[in-house]
Amino acid sequence: MASTPAESRIQSQKLRYCRYTDTQQFSLLPSVILPSCTFKFIDYFSASPIVEPSASGPVTLGFDSLASWTAYFSEKFKALQTMHLISGAGEFTKISEDEYEVVFAVIYHAAPKEGETGWQGAGGGHYHERWVKQKDEEGKEDWFMKSLRFERLYWKYVE
């Protein structure tokens, strides 16, 4: 459970990020993520439904804005159903009154949208994020994701 109002709000915003992504409501993400947010996904496996196969070593995907992230994932998720489950309250490090570094553990599931057969995947890892307090479109202060680095540590794929 969060111990401060800021931590509670950041947790709530993180859950919205997961729900908006899983339900493919990408147009709602600006209420959670800054347009200039940077994203880095480090995949320690050679293949998954969101990255191209690699001959060896980890695969890294990087995006320099919410728009570039959305363009990529809205296309990749068209044929997928996903469910992200945040585990625990998160590990919060206060950088300043207006900035936190947070680590969230996550488990997620993915499968094709069509049919009840086919492949199914389950994965997990850690989100390493920066959250900042800024004003929203209405001039009200809120917490927004400034950067995200996801390190996938687990992936199981079955047909």
mmCIF file with all atom_site columns, all heavy atoms in Angstrom, residues 56-81:
data_model
loop_
_atom_site.group_PDB
_atom_site.id
_atom_site.type_symbol
_atom_site.label_atom_id
_atom_site.label_alt_id
_atom_site.label_comp_id
_atom_site.label_asym_id
_atom_site.label_entity_id
_atom_site.label_seq_id
_atom_site.pdbx_PDB_ins_code
_atom_site.Cartn_x
_atom_site.Cartn_y
_atom_site.Cartn_z
_atom_site.occupancy
_atom_site.B_iso_or_equiv
_atom_site.pdbx_formal_charge
_atom_site.auth_seq_id
_atom_site.auth_comp_id
_atom_site.auth_asym_id
_atom_site.auth_atom_id
_atom_site.pdbx_PDB_model_num
ATOM 1   N N   . SER A 1 56 ? 21.140 -13.496 -31.339 1.00 0.00 ? 56 SER A N   1
ATOM 2   C CA  . SER A 1 56 ? 21.726 -13.709 -30.014 1.00 0.00 ? 56 SER A CA  1
ATOM 3   C C   . SER A 1 56 ? 21.654 -12.432 -29.208 1.00 0.00 ? 56 SER A C   1
ATOM 4   O O   . SER A 1 56 ? 21.547 -11.332 -29.745 1.00 0.00 ? 56 SER A O   1
ATOM 5   C CB  . SER A 1 56 ? 23.189 -14.143 -30.153 1.00 0.00 ? 56 SER A CB  1
ATOM 6   O OG  . SER A 1 56 ? 23.941 -13.103 -30.737 1.00 0.00 ? 56 SER A OG  1
ATOM 7   N N   . GLY A 1 57 ? 21.704 -12.609 -27.910 1.00 0.00 ? 57 GLY A N   1
ATOM 8   C CA  . GLY A 1 57 ? 21.745 -11.469 -27.012 1.00 0.00 ? 57 GLY A CA  1
ATOM 9   C C   . GLY A 1 57 ? 20.410 -10.786 -26.833 1.00 0.00 ? 57 GLY A C   1
ATOM 10  O O   . GLY A 1 57 ? 19.429 -11.093 -27.503 1.00 0.00 ? 57 GLY A O   1
ATOM 11  N N   . PRO A 1 58 ? 20.370 -9.845  -25.904 1.00 0.00 ? 58 PRO A N   1
ATOM 12  C CA  . PRO A 1 58 ? 19.122 -9.143  -25.635 1.00 0.00 ? 58 PRO A CA  1
ATOM 13  C C   . PRO A 1 58 ? 18.720 -8.232  -26.797 1.00 0.00 ? 58 PRO A C   1
ATOM 14  O O   . PRO A 1 58 ? 19.557 -7.740  -27.544 1.00 0.00 ? 58 PRO A O   1
ATOM 15  C CB  . PRO A 1 58 ? 19.420 -8.327  -24.384 1.00 0.00 ? 58 PRO A CB  1
ATOM 16  C CG  . PRO A 1 58 ? 20.888 -8.257  -24.287 1.00 0.00 ? 58 PRO A CG  1
ATOM 17  C CD  . PRO A 1 58 ? 21.440 -9.430  -25.022 1.00 0.00 ? 58 PRO A CD  1
ATOM 18  N N   . VAL A 1 59 ? 17.421 -8.058  -26.928 1.00 0.00 ? 59 VAL A N   1
ATOM 19  C CA  . VAL A 1 59 ? 16.861 -7.156  -27.919 1.00 0.00 ? 59 VAL A CA  1
ATOM 20  C C   . VAL A 1 59 ? 16.430 -5.892  -27.188 1.00 0.00 ? 59 VAL A C   1
ATOM 21  O O   . VAL A 1 59 ? 15.813 -5.971  -26.131 1.00 0.00 ? 59 VAL A O   1
ATOM 22  C CB  . VAL A 1 59 ? 15.648 -7.803  -28.619 1.00 0.00 ? 59 VAL A CB  1
ATOM 23  C CG1 . VAL A 1 59 ? 14.979 -6.821  -29.563 1.00 0.00 ? 59 VAL A CG1 1
ATOM 24  C CG2 . VAL A 1 59 ? 16.058 -9.065  -29.341 1.00 0.00 ? 59 VAL A CG2 1
ATOM 25  N N   . THR A 1 60 ? 16.766 -4.747  -27.731 1.00 0.00 ? 60 THR A N   1
ATOM 26  C CA  . THR A 1 60 ? 16.364 -3.488  -27.119 1.00 0.00 ? 60 THR A CA  1
ATOM 27  C C   . THR A 1 60 ? 15.517 -2.710  -28.109 1.00 0.00 ? 60 THR A C   1
ATOM 28  O O   . THR A 1 60 ? 15.908 -2.517  -29.256 1.00 0.00 ? 60 THR A O   1
ATOM 29  C CB  . THR A 1 60 ? 17.594 -2.653  -26.710 1.00 0.00 ? 60 THR A CB  1
ATOM 30  O OG1 . THR A 1 60 ? 18.371 -3.397  -25.788 1.00 0.00 ? 60 THR A OG1 1
ATOM 31  C CG2 . THR A 1 60 ? 17.166 -1.349  -26.063 1.00 0.00 ? 60 THR A CG2 1
ATOM 32  N N   . LEU A 1 61 ? 14.349 -2.299  -27.647 1.00 0.00 ? 61 LEU A N   1
ATOM 33  C CA  . LEU A 1 61 ? 13.495 -1.402  -28.415 1.00 0.00 ? 61 LEU A CA  1
ATOM 34  C C   . LEU A 1 61 ? 13.523 -0.053  -27.725 1.00 0.00 ? 61 LEU A C   1
ATOM 35  O O   . LEU A 1 61 ? 13.404 0.015   -26.505 1.00 0.00 ? 61 LEU A O   1
ATOM 36  C CB  . LEU A 1 61 ? 12.049 -1.900  -28.427 1.00 0.00 ? 61 LEU A CB  1
ATOM 37  C CG  . LEU A 1 61 ? 11.735 -3.168  -29.163 1.00 0.00 ? 61 LEU A CG  1
ATOM 38  C CD1 . LEU A 1 61 ? 10.279 -3.546  -28.924 1.00 0.00 ? 61 LEU A CD1 1
ATOM 39  C CD2 . LEU A 1 61 ? 11.978 -2.978  -30.643 1.00 0.00 ? 61 LEU A CD2 1
ATOM 40  N N   . GLY A 1 62 ? 13.647 1.016   -28.489 1.00 0.00 ? 62 GLY A N   1
ATOM 41  C CA  . GLY A 1 62 ? 13.650 2.347   -27.900 1.00 0.00 ? 62 GLY A CA  1
ATOM 42  C C   . GLY A 1 62 ? 12.723 3.277   -28.648 1.00 0.00 ? 62 GLY A C   1
ATOM 43  O O   . GLY A 1 62 ? 12.583 3.182   -29.869 1.00 0.00 ? 62 GLY A O   1
ATOM 44  N N   . PHE A 1 63 ? 12.081 4.164   -27.895 1.00 0.00 ? 63 PHE A N   1
ATOM 45  C CA  . PHE A 1 63 ? 11.179 5.153   -28.465 1.00 0.00 ? 63 PHE A CA  1
ATOM 46  C C   . PHE A 1 63 ? 11.437 6.479   -27.777 1.00 0.00 ? 63 PHE A C   1
ATOM 47  O O   . PHE A 1 63 ? 11.598 6.531   -26.559 1.00 0.00 ? 63 PHE A O   1
ATOM 48  C CB  . PHE A 1 63 ? 9.713  4.726   -28.267 1.00 0.00 ? 63 PHE A CB  1
ATOM 49  C CG  . PHE A 1 63 ? 9.434  3.361   -28.820 1.00 0.00 ? 63 PHE A CG  1
ATOM 50  C CD1 . PHE A 1 63 ? 9.505  2.240   -28.010 1.00 0.00 ? 63 PHE A CD1 1
ATOM 51  C CD2 . PHE A 1 63 ? 9.127  3.198   -30.164 1.00 0.00 ? 63 PHE A CD2 1
ATOM 52  C CE1 . PHE A 1 63 ? 9.273  0.970   -28.524 1.00 0.00 ? 63 PHE A CE1 1
ATOM 53  C CE2 . PHE A 1 63 ? 8.889  1.934   -30.686 1.00 0.00 ? 63 PHE A CE2 1
ATOM 54  C CZ  . PHE A 1 63 ? 8.971  0.822   -29.863 1.00 0.00 ? 63 PHE A CZ  1
ATOM 55  N N   . ASP A 1 64 ? 11.468 7.569   -28.566 1.00 0.00 ? 64 ASP A N   1
ATOM 56  C CA  . ASP A 1 64 ? 11.814 8.877   -28.003 1.00 0.00 ? 64 ASP A CA  1
ATOM 57  C C   . ASP A 1 64 ? 10.607 9.750   -27.694 1.00 0.00 ? 64 ASP A C   1
ATOM 58  O O   . ASP A 1 64 ? 10.765 10.907  -27.321 1.00 0.00 ? 64 ASP A O   1
ATOM 59  C CB  . ASP A 1 64 ? 12.785 9.620   -28.922 1.00 0.00 ? 64 ASP A CB  1
ATOM 60  C CG  . ASP A 1 64 ? 12.197 9.894   -30.294 1.00 0.00 ? 64 ASP A CG  1
ATOM 61  O OD1 . ASP A 1 64 ? 11.023 9.554   -30.545 1.00 0.00 ? 64 ASP A OD1 1
ATOM 62  O OD2 . ASP A 1 64 ? 12.923 10.449  -31.135 1.00 0.00 ? 64 ASP A OD2 1
ATOM 63  N N   . SER A 1 65 ? 9.402  9.187   -27.831 1.00 0.00 ? 65 SER A N   1
ATOM 64  C CA  . SER A 1 65 ? 8.198  9.964   -27.535 1.00 0.00 ? 65 SER A CA  1
ATOM 65  C C   . SER A 1 65 ? 7.004  9.031   -27.363 1.00 0.00 ? 65 SER A C   1
ATOM 66  O O   . SER A 1 65 ? 7.036  7.873   -27.809 1.00 0.00 ? 65 SER A O   1
ATOM 67  C CB  . SER A 1 65 ? 7.896  10.941  -28.670 1.00 0.00 ? 65 SER A CB  1
ATOM 68  O OG  . SER A 1 65 ? 7.505  10.236  -29.832 1.00 0.00 ? 65 SER A OG  1
ATOM 69  N N   . LEU A 1 66 ? 5.962  9.546   -26.753 1.00 0.00 ? 66 LEU A N   1
ATOM 70  C CA  . LEU A 1 66 ? 4.722  8.786   -26.645 1.00 0.00 ? 66 LEU A CA  1
ATOM 71  C C   . LEU A 1 66 ? 4.158  8.492   -28.027 1.00 0.00 ? 66 LEU A C   1
ATOM 72  O O   . LEU A 1 66 ? 3.656  7.397   -28.280 1.00 0.00 ? 66 LEU A O   1
ATOM 73  C CB  . LEU A 1 66 ? 3.697  9.550   -25.799 1.00 0.00 ? 66 LEU A CB  1
ATOM 74  C CG  . LEU A 1 66 ? 2.313  8.920   -25.679 1.00 0.00 ? 66 LEU A CG  1
ATOM 75  C CD1 . LEU A 1 66 ? 2.375  7.509   -25.108 1.00 0.00 ? 66 LEU A CD1 1
ATOM 76  C CD2 . LEU A 1 66 ? 1.403  9.811   -24.839 1.00 0.00 ? 66 LEU A CD2 1
ATOM 77  N N   . ALA A 1 67 ? 4.273  9.438   -28.941 1.00 0.00 ? 67 ALA A N   1
ATOM 78  C CA  . ALA A 1 67 ? 3.748  9.235   -30.306 1.00 0.00 ? 67 ALA A CA  1
ATOM 79  C C   . ALA A 1 67 ? 4.438  8.072   -31.003 1.00 0.00 ? 67 ALA A C   1
ATOM 80  O O   . ALA A 1 67 ? 3.771  7.239   -31.636 1.00 0.00 ? 67 ALA A O   1
ATOM 81  C CB  . ALA A 1 67 ? 3.903  10.519  -31.120 1.00 0.00 ? 67 ALA A CB  1
ATOM 82  N N   . SER A 1 68 ? 5.761  7.967   -30.900 1.00 0.00 ? 68 SER A N   1
ATOM 83  C CA  . SER A 1 68 ? 6.461  6.864   -31.573 1.00 0.00 ? 68 SER A CA  1
ATOM 84  C C   . SER A 1 68 ? 6.161  5.530   -30.894 1.00 0.00 ? 68 SER A C   1
ATOM 85  O O   . SER A 1 68 ? 6.025  4.503   -31.558 1.00 0.00 ? 68 SER A O   1
ATOM 86  C CB  . SER A 1 68 ? 7.967  7.137   -31.659 1.00 0.00 ? 68 SER A CB  1
ATOM 87  O OG  . SER A 1 68 ? 8.548  7.231   -30.377 1.00 0.00 ? 68 SER A OG  1
ATOM 88  N N   . TRP A 1 69 ? 6.042  5.520   -29.563 1.00 0.00 ? 69 TRP A N   1
ATOM 89  C CA  . TRP A 1 69 ? 5.661  4.308   -28.833 1.00 0.00 ? 69 TRP A CA  1
ATOM 90  C C   . TRP A 1 69 ? 4.275  3.854   -29.269 1.00 0.00 ? 69 TRP A C   1
ATOM 91  O O   . TRP A 1 69 ? 4.050  2.676   -29.562 1.00 0.00 ? 69 TRP A O   1
ATOM 92  C CB  . TRP A 1 69 ? 5.692  4.583   -27.326 1.00 0.00 ? 69 TRP A CB  1
ATOM 93  C CG  . TRP A 1 69 ? 5.307  3.415   -26.474 1.00 0.00 ? 69 TRP A CG  1
ATOM 94  C CD1 . TRP A 1 69 ? 6.146  2.504   -25.910 1.00 0.00 ? 69 TRP A CD1 1
ATOM 95  C CD2 . TRP A 1 69 ? 3.983  3.026   -26.077 1.00 0.00 ? 69 TRP A CD2 1
ATOM 96  N NE1 . TRP A 1 69 ? 5.425  1.572   -25.195 1.00 0.00 ? 69 TRP A NE1 1
ATOM 97  C CE2 . TRP A 1 69 ? 4.088  1.880   -25.281 1.00 0.00 ? 69 TRP A CE2 1
ATOM 98  C CE3 . TRP A 1 69 ? 2.717  3.544   -26.325 1.00 0.00 ? 69 TRP A CE3 1
ATOM 99  C CZ2 . TRP A 1 69 ? 2.991  1.236   -24.731 1.00 0.00 ? 69 TRP A CZ2 1
ATOM 100 C CZ3 . TRP A 1 69 ? 1.610  2.901   -25.774 1.00 0.00 ? 69 TRP A CZ3 1
ATOM 101 C CH2 . TRP A 1 69 ? 1.762  1.766   -24.984 1.00 0.00 ? 69 TRP A CH2 1
ATOM 102 N N   . THR A 1 70 ? 3.323  4.797   -29.313 1.00 0.00 ? 70 THR A N   1
ATOM 103 C CA  . THR A 1 70 ? 1.944  4.481   -29.678 1.00 0.00 ? 70 THR A CA  1
ATOM 104 C C   . THR A 1 70 ? 1.850  3.954   -31.106 1.00 0.00 ? 70 THR A C   1
ATOM 105 O O   . THR A 1 70 ? 1.132  2.983   -31.370 1.00 0.00 ? 70 THR A O   1
ATOM 106 C CB  . THR A 1 70 ? 1.034  5.711   -29.494 1.00 0.00 ? 70 THR A CB  1
ATOM 107 O OG1 . THR A 1 70 ? 1.093  6.119   -28.119 1.00 0.00 ? 70 THR A OG1 1
ATOM 108 C CG2 . THR A 1 70 ? -0.398 5.400   -29.864 1.00 0.00 ? 70 THR A CG2 1
ATOM 109 N N   . ALA A 1 71 ? 2.577  4.560   -32.029 1.00 0.00 ? 71 ALA A N   1
ATOM 110 C CA  . ALA A 1 71 ? 2.554  4.095   -33.417 1.00 0.00 ? 71 ALA A CA  1
ATOM 111 C C   . ALA A 1 71 ? 3.004  2.634   -33.506 1.00 0.00 ? 71 ALA A C   1
ATOM 112 O O   . ALA A 1 71 ? 2.395  1.824   -34.211 1.00 0.00 ? 71 ALA A O   1
ATOM 113 C CB  . ALA A 1 71 ? 3.436  4.986   -34.291 1.00 0.00 ? 71 ALA A CB  1
ATOM 114 N N   . TYR A 1 72 ? 4.048  2.284   -32.796 1.00 0.00 ? 72 TYR A N   1
ATOM 115 C CA  . TYR A 1 72 ? 4.575  0.919   -32.827 1.00 0.00 ? 72 TYR A CA  1
ATOM 116 C C   . TYR A 1 72 ? 3.614  -0.064  -32.161 1.00 0.00 ? 72 TYR A C   1
ATOM 117 O O   . TYR A 1 72 ? 3.232  -1.074  -32.751 1.00 0.00 ? 72 TYR A O   1
ATOM 118 C CB  . TYR A 1 72 ? 5.941  0.877   -32.141 1.00 0.00 ? 72 TYR A CB  1
ATOM 119 C CG  . TYR A 1 72 ? 6.594  -0.481  -32.172 1.00 0.00 ? 72 TYR A CG  1
ATOM 120 C CD1 . TYR A 1 72 ? 7.341  -0.888  -33.265 1.00 0.00 ? 72 TYR A CD1 1
ATOM 121 C CD2 . TYR A 1 72 ? 6.452  -1.363  -31.113 1.00 0.00 ? 72 TYR A CD2 1
ATOM 122 C CE1 . TYR A 1 72 ? 7.942  -2.138  -33.304 1.00 0.00 ? 72 TYR A CE1 1
ATOM 123 C CE2 . TYR A 1 72 ? 7.043  -2.618  -31.133 1.00 0.00 ? 72 TYR A CE2 1
ATOM 124 C CZ  . TYR A 1 72 ? 7.786  -3.001  -32.227 1.00 0.00 ? 72 TYR A CZ  1
ATOM 125 O OH  . TYR A 1 72 ? 8.367  -4.242  -32.249 1.00 0.00 ? 72 TYR A OH  1
ATOM 126 N N   . PHE A 1 73 ? 3.228  0.225   -30.912 1.00 0.00 ? 73 PHE A N   1
ATOM 127 C CA  . PHE A 1 73 ? 2.444  -0.755  -30.163 1.00 0.00 ? 73 PHE A CA  1
ATOM 128 C C   . PHE A 1 73 ? 0.987  -0.832  -30.615 1.00 0.00 ? 73 PHE A C   1
ATOM 129 O O   . PHE A 1 73 ? 0.378  -1.900  -30.514 1.00 0.00 ? 73 PHE A O   1
ATOM 130 C CB  . PHE A 1 73 ? 2.557  -0.513  -28.654 1.00 0.00 ? 73 PHE A CB  1
ATOM 131 C CG  . PHE A 1 73 ? 3.825  -1.068  -28.100 1.00 0.00 ? 73 PHE A CG  1
ATOM 132 C CD1 . PHE A 1 73 ? 4.917  -0.258  -27.863 1.00 0.00 ? 73 PHE A CD1 1
ATOM 133 C CD2 . PHE A 1 73 ? 3.952  -2.430  -27.851 1.00 0.00 ? 73 PHE A CD2 1
ATOM 134 C CE1 . PHE A 1 73 ? 6.105  -0.776  -27.377 1.00 0.00 ? 73 PHE A CE1 1
ATOM 135 C CE2 . PHE A 1 73 ? 5.136  -2.960  -27.359 1.00 0.00 ? 73 PHE A CE2 1
ATOM 136 C CZ  . PHE A 1 73 ? 6.218  -2.132  -27.124 1.00 0.00 ? 73 PHE A CZ  1
ATOM 137 N N   . SER A 1 74 ? 0.427  0.239   -31.107 1.00 0.00 ? 74 SER A N   1
ATOM 138 C CA  . SER A 1 74 ? -0.949 0.138   -31.603 1.00 0.00 ? 74 SER A CA  1
ATOM 139 C C   . SER A 1 74 ? -1.006 -0.821  -32.793 1.00 0.00 ? 74 SER A C   1
ATOM 140 O O   . SER A 1 74 ? -1.981 -1.561  -32.946 1.00 0.00 ? 74 SER A O   1
ATOM 141 C CB  . SER A 1 74 ? -1.513 1.513   -31.970 1.00 0.00 ? 74 SER A CB  1
ATOM 142 O OG  . SER A 1 74 ? -0.781 2.104   -33.017 1.00 0.00 ? 74 SER A OG  1
ATOM 143 N N   . GLU A 1 75 ? 0.036  -0.843  -33.593 1.00 0.00 ? 75 GLU A N   1
ATOM 144 C CA  . GLU A 1 75 ? 0.102  -1.793  -34.715 1.00 0.00 ? 75 GLU A CA  1
ATOM 145 C C   . GLU A 1 75 ? 0.358  -3.217  -34.211 1.00 0.00 ? 75 GLU A C   1
ATOM 146 O O   . GLU A 1 75 ? -0.304 -4.169  -34.637 1.00 0.00 ? 75 GLU A O   1
ATOM 147 C CB  . GLU A 1 75 ? 1.191  -1.365  -35.698 1.00 0.00 ? 75 GLU A CB  1
ATOM 148 C CG  . GLU A 1 75 ? 1.249  -2.192  -36.944 1.00 0.00 ? 75 GLU A CG  1
ATOM 149 C CD  . GLU A 1 75 ? -0.020 -2.117  -37.792 1.00 0.00 ? 75 GLU A CD  1
ATOM 150 O OE1 . GLU A 1 75 ? -0.690 -1.073  -37.794 1.00 0.00 ? 75 GLU A OE1 1
ATOM 151 O OE2 . GLU A 1 75 ? -0.346 -3.137  -38.443 1.00 0.00 ? 75 GLU A OE2 1
ATOM 152 N N   . LYS A 1 76 ? 1.329  -3.382  -33.310 1.00 0.00 ? 76 LYS A N   1
ATOM 153 C CA  . LYS A 1 76 ? 1.669  -4.718  -32.808 1.00 0.00 ? 76 LYS A CA  1
ATOM 154 C C   . LYS A 1 76 ? 0.520  -5.359  -32.036 1.00 0.00 ? 76 LYS A C   1
ATOM 155 O O   . LYS A 1 76 ? 0.346  -6.575  -32.061 1.00 0.00 ? 76 LYS A O   1
ATOM 156 C CB  . LYS A 1 76 ? 2.905  -4.653  -31.896 1.00 0.00 ? 76 LYS A CB  1
ATOM 157 C CG  . LYS A 1 76 ? 4.198  -4.403  -32.623 1.00 0.00 ? 76 LYS A CG  1
ATOM 158 C CD  . LYS A 1 76 ? 4.598  -5.605  -33.432 1.00 0.00 ? 76 LYS A CD  1
ATOM 159 C CE  . LYS A 1 76 ? 5.961  -5.415  -34.058 1.00 0.00 ? 76 LYS A CE  1
ATOM 160 N NZ  . LYS A 1 76 ? 6.367  -6.565  -34.849 1.00 0.00 ? 76 LYS A NZ  1
ATOM 161 N N   . PHE A 1 77 ? -0.263 -4.540  -31.322 1.00 0.00 ? 77 PHE A N   1
ATOM 162 C CA  . PHE A 1 77 ? -1.329 -5.078  -30.470 1.00 0.00 ? 77 PHE A CA  1
ATOM 163 C C   . PHE A 1 77 ? -2.650 -5.290  -31.203 1.00 0.00 ? 77 PHE A C   1
ATOM 164 O O   . PHE A 1 77 ? -3.578 -5.824  -30.623 1.00 0.00 ? 77 PHE A O   1
ATOM 165 C CB  . PHE A 1 77 ? -1.550 -4.156  -29.272 1.00 0.00 ? 77 PHE A CB  1
ATOM 166 C CG  . PHE A 1 77 ? -0.540 -4.320  -28.161 1.00 0.00 ? 77 PHE A CG  1
ATOM 167 C CD1 . PHE A 1 77 ? 0.657  -4.963  -28.358 1.00 0.00 ? 77 PHE A CD1 1
ATOM 168 C CD2 . PHE A 1 77 ? -0.799 -3.811  -26.905 1.00 0.00 ? 77 PHE A CD2 1
ATOM 169 C CE1 . PHE A 1 77 ? 1.584  -5.109  -27.342 1.00 0.00 ? 77 PHE A CE1 1
ATOM 170 C CE2 . PHE A 1 77 ? 0.113  -3.943  -25.872 1.00 0.00 ? 77 PHE A CE2 1
ATOM 171 C CZ  . PHE A 1 77 ? 1.304  -4.593  -26.088 1.00 0.00 ? 77 PHE A CZ  1
ATOM 172 N N   . LYS A 1 78 ? -2.740 -4.899  -32.478 1.00 0.00 ? 78 LYS A N   1
ATOM 173 C CA  . LYS A 1 78 ? -3.999 -5.052  -33.216 1.00 0.00 ? 78 LYS A CA  1
ATOM 174 C C   . LYS A 1 78 ? -4.529 -6.476  -33.157 1.00 0.00 ? 78 LYS A C   1
ATOM 175 O O   . LYS A 1 78 ? -5.726 -6.693  -33.032 1.00 0.00 ? 78 LYS A O   1
ATOM 176 C CB  . LYS A 1 78 ? -3.829 -4.637  -34.676 1.00 0.00 ? 78 LYS A CB  1
ATOM 177 C CG  . LYS A 1 78 ? -3.943 -3.172  -34.910 1.00 0.00 ? 78 LYS A CG  1
ATOM 178 C CD  . LYS A 1 78 ? -3.846 -2.871  -36.397 1.00 0.00 ? 78 LYS A CD  1
ATOM 179 C CE  . LYS A 1 78 ? -3.884 -1.366  -36.609 1.00 0.00 ? 78 LYS A CE  1
ATOM 180 N NZ  . LYS A 1 78 ? -3.706 -1.034  -38.027 1.00 0.00 ? 78 LYS A NZ  1
ATOM 181 N N   . ALA A 1 79 ? -3.659 -7.451  -33.288 1.00 0.00 ? 79 ALA A N   1
ATOM 182 C CA  . ALA A 1 79 ? -4.071 -8.851  -33.333 1.00 0.00 ? 79 ALA A CA  1
ATOM 183 C C   . ALA A 1 79 ? -3.913 -9.566  -31.993 1.00 0.00 ? 79 ALA A C   1
ATOM 184 O O   . ALA A 1 79 ? -4.121 -10.770 -31.905 1.00 0.00 ? 79 ALA A O   1
ATOM 185 C CB  . ALA A 1 79 ? -3.265 -9.587  -34.401 1.00 0.00 ? 79 ALA A CB  1
ATOM 186 N N   . LEU A 1 80 ? -3.544 -8.822  -30.937 1.00 0.00 ? 80 LEU A N   1
ATOM 187 C CA  . LEU A 1 80 ? -3.285 -9.457  -29.639 1.00 0.00 ? 80 LEU A CA  1
ATOM 188 C C   . LEU A 1 80 ? -4.306 -9.064  -28.587 1.00 0.00 ? 80 LEU A C   1
ATOM 189 O O   . LEU A 1 80 ? -4.879 -7.979  -28.627 1.00 0.00 ? 80 LEU A O   1
ATOM 190 C CB  . LEU A 1 80 ? -1.903 -9.043  -29.112 1.00 0.00 ? 80 LEU A CB  1
ATOM 191 C CG  . LEU A 1 80 ? -0.673 -9.482  -29.882 1.00 0.00 ? 80 LEU A CG  1
ATOM 192 C CD1 . LEU A 1 80 ? 0.577  -8.937  -29.217 1.00 0.00 ? 80 LEU A CD1 1
ATOM 193 C CD2 . LEU A 1 80 ? -0.612 -10.998 -29.975 1.00 0.00 ? 80 LEU A CD2 1
ATOM 194 N N   . GLN A 1 81 ? -4.480 -9.952  -27.638 1.00 0.00 ? 81 GLN A N   1
ATOM 195 C CA  . GLN A 1 81 ? -5.148 -9.612  -26.388 1.00 0.00 ? 81 GLN A CA  1
ATOM 196 C C   . GLN A 1 81 ? -4.080 -9.731  -25.303 1.00 0.00 ? 81 GLN A C   1
ATOM 197 O O   . GLN A 1 81 ? -3.290 -10.676 -25.300 1.00 0.00 ? 81 GLN A O   1
ATOM 198 C CB  . GLN A 1 81 ? -6.343 -10.514 -26.128 1.00 0.00 ? 81 GLN A CB  1
ATOM 199 C CG  . GLN A 1 81 ? -6.063 -11.999 -26.203 1.00 0.00 ? 81 GLN A CG  1
ATOM 200 C CD  . GLN A 1 81 ? -7.317 -12.827 -26.068 1.00 0.00 ? 81 GLN A CD  1
ATOM 201 O OE1 . GLN A 1 81 ? -8.289 -12.397 -25.472 1.00 0.00 ? 81 GLN A OE1 1
ATOM 202 N NE2 . GLN A 1 81 ? -7.302 -14.031 -26.615 1.00 0.00 ? 81 GLN A NE2 1
#
